[in-house]
Amino acid sequence: MADRKILMFGAAAAIGVLAAGGLFLTQQRAGDPLAQCRGSAVAGGMDSFGTDFTLTRHDGQRVTQDEVFTKPSLLYFGYTFCPDVCPLDTARNAEVEQILAARGVDIQNVFVTVDPRRDTAEVLADYTSLFSDDMIGLTGSDEEIARINQGWRNYYKAHDEEDQQYYLVDHMTNTYLVMPGNRTVEFFSREATAEQMADRVGCFVDALS
């Protein structure tokens, strides 16, 4: 009998914990209009990503974050000499833009180089035009590129110790969703498909409109 009472008490306590947990999650979601759209979580939250910057656009103009993020943007860090990963990711991101355009959702792609030595504004203009007429390419000095990468926690390293021309650059491959006002709300791994990204980006756009 005592054992039975203990089991009943434990079951009741477990139910209470689950109910409280469910209530907590419901309250959390109710207080976060973007919770239904999120597919990722990071320490410090997405608000810890991003920084102000001034960089050189692919047309040679110097621009700030406010002049770049005028609409929902898929932000990617890569380089034009990248043999495989960057072209595939950039093509996928361009496909997301096309999918959403067909749904009446206007976004843009922003490509920031991690290889400013080779990726001049002219080189970026040629590269971005291969994927989208509206894609923005950004370059700058070594210090400017380091700062924006640090702001989005993007690791990169050029292996140019022996070859100054045909070197490769290690870098992270996340794509970030940045809203007007330089607010980063989500990131996508390279495993995400264009359709999955389009659905989630559309969710964020609707929730914030």
Side-chain angles (χ1 to χ4, degrees):
M1 180 65 71
D3 290 342
R4 184 178 178 183
K5 288 183 177 180
I6 291 173
L7 288 174
M8 291 177 64
F9 178 79
I15 292 172
V17 169
L18 290 174
L23 178 60
F24 174 77
L25 290 175
T26 300
Q27 292 174 336
Q28 288 291 95
R29 288 183 176 273
D32 180 6
L34 304 181
Q36 61 181 332
C37 307
R38 297 193 191 281
S40 57
V42 294
M46 293 308 303
D47 288 341
S48 62
F49 285 80
T51 185
D52 293 345
F53 60 81
T54 299
L55 294 170
T56 302
R57 197 167 54 197
H58 62 268
D59 59 2
Q61 295 297 310
R62 296 285 285 174
V63 292
T64 68
Q65 69 284 342
D66 293 329
E67 295 169 300
V68 171
F69 299 127
T70 58
K71 62 177 72 174
S73 304
L74 293 177
L75 172 64
Y76 185 81
F77 296 87
Y79 67 113
T80 64
F81 194 70
C82 181
D84 47 17
V85 173
C86 299
L88 291 175
D89 290 351
T90 306
R92 177 205 58 183
N93 292 352
E95 184 181 354
V96 175
E97 181 181 337
Q98 295 171 354
I99 292 171
L100 287 172
R103 300 178 185 177
V105 180
D106 186 23
I107 71 163
Q108 67 182 1
N109 275 278
V110 179
F111 184 95
V112 177
T113 184
V114 294
D115 184 20
R117 181 189 305 168
R118 291 180 296 191
D119 286 344
T120 63
E122 294 79 9
V123 170
L124 284 176
D126 291 339
Y127 186 80
T128 55
S129 68
L130 297 174
F131 301 96
S132 169
D133 292 337
D134 299 322
M135 186 176 293
I136 296 174
L138 296 174
T139 188
S141 67
D142 289 343
E143 293 76 15
E144 289 168 343
I145 294 301
R147 179 181 178 188
I148 188 172
N149 275 272
Q150 183 178 18
W152 268 273
R153 305 189 195 178
N154 186 67
Y155 168 82
Y156 69 102
K157 177 177 175 56
H159 295 280
D160 56 355
E161 297 84 2
E162 298 180 1
D163 188 337
Q164 297 288 307
Q165 186 174 4
Y166 298 110
Y167 57 89
L168 299 178
V169 182
D170 291 338
H171 64 94
M172 296 174 66
T173 57
N174 291 327
T175 296
Y176 302 90
L177 175 58
V178 185
M179 305 302 288
N182 197 19
R183 180 187 179 190
T184 303
V185 295
E186 183 64 304
F187 77 90
F188 305 91
S189 70
R190 68 183 317 265
E191 286 73 28
T193 68
E195 285 286 349
Q196 290 170 338
M197 290 178 63
D199 289 342
R200 283 166 58 189
V201 171
C203 181
F204 279 101
V205 172
D206 289 343
L208 292 171
S209 62

